[in-house]
Amino acid sequence: MINKLFNWARHPFKSMIQPGSTSGVSNPSSWLVDWFGGGESASGVRVTYESVHGFPAAWASLNLICGHMGQIPIEVRRKIPTGGTERAENNPADRLLNKKPNDLQTAFTFKQTLQNHALLAGNGRAVIMRDQLGQPTELIIMF
């Protein structure tokens, strides 16, 4: 079992590619379409990130979940010498996560959008922009 896992890790796509077959943009192989989340669902309808936003029940559910997640404060904590932790309110990360992550978003919008990406795309990621001293200055959402 372990050897099979190691072989897959060295050549993850080997079992998906048929010898002599080609796959391109105009005629992709089925494994390639599945890899990027395309294709039809069990009902025969193709579900994408964009199409979910057009479905009222899905939009309402996402709006409810992400809206509540956006309201939750994120505490940045530091260890104290006597043991335990305390809130690090003067930490730059605390300001970015709870007040203003970047020039375009409020903390609420940032957390709401990050949660939306996590639910729909499987991950919510942000790039940490730093100054010359290595201090975080901005959080920019990636998608």
Side-chain angles (χ1 to χ4, degrees):
M1 179 68 175
I2 297 293
N3 288 335
K4 193 173 186 181
L5 181 62
F6 284 129
N7 286 335
W8 182 87
R10 277 185 251 151
H11 308 287
F13 303 110
K14 190 174 184 179
S15 64
M16 297 180 212
I17 301 171
Q18 301 296 325
S21 68
T22 59
S23 178
V25 176
S26 61
N27 186 25
S29 297
S30 61
W31 70 267
L32 184 61
V33 173
D34 293 339
W35 179 262
F36 285 104
E40 293 181 351
S41 65
S43 66
V45 177
R46 185 170 183 199
V47 179
T48 64
Y49 180 83
E50 292 80 18
S51 69
V52 168
H53 282 284
F55 185 58
W59 183 87
S61 301
L62 286 167
N63 195 35
L64 183 69
I65 294 168
C66 298
H68 285 296
M69 294 301 288
Q71 294 175 6
I72 298 173
I74 299 174
E75 286 189 357
V76 176
R77 306 196 60 83
R78 69 171 158 248
K79 292 182 181 178
I80 53 176
T82 58
T85 62
E86 67 181 6
R87 183 154 186 202
E89 293 179 10
N90 59 347
N91 190 309
D94 187 69
R95 180 187 56 81
L96 293 174
L97 292 168
N98 294 303
K99 292 188 175 58
K100 190 145 180 74
N102 57 54
D103 291 335
L104 302 175
Q105 294 175 308
T106 63
F108 172 80
T109 307
F110 174 81
K111 292 183 276 189
Q112 183 182 34
T113 305
L114 208 60
Q115 183 63 46
N116 187 299
H117 290 183
L119 291 173
L120 285 180
N123 57 35
R125 297 179 182 179
V127 174
I128 304 170
M129 304 302 287
R130 298 179 184 272
D131 62 12
Q132 293 84 4
L133 300 174
Q135 295 294 317
T137 58
E138 278 189 300
L139 298 173
I140 309 293
I141 289 187
M142 295 175 52
F143 188 79

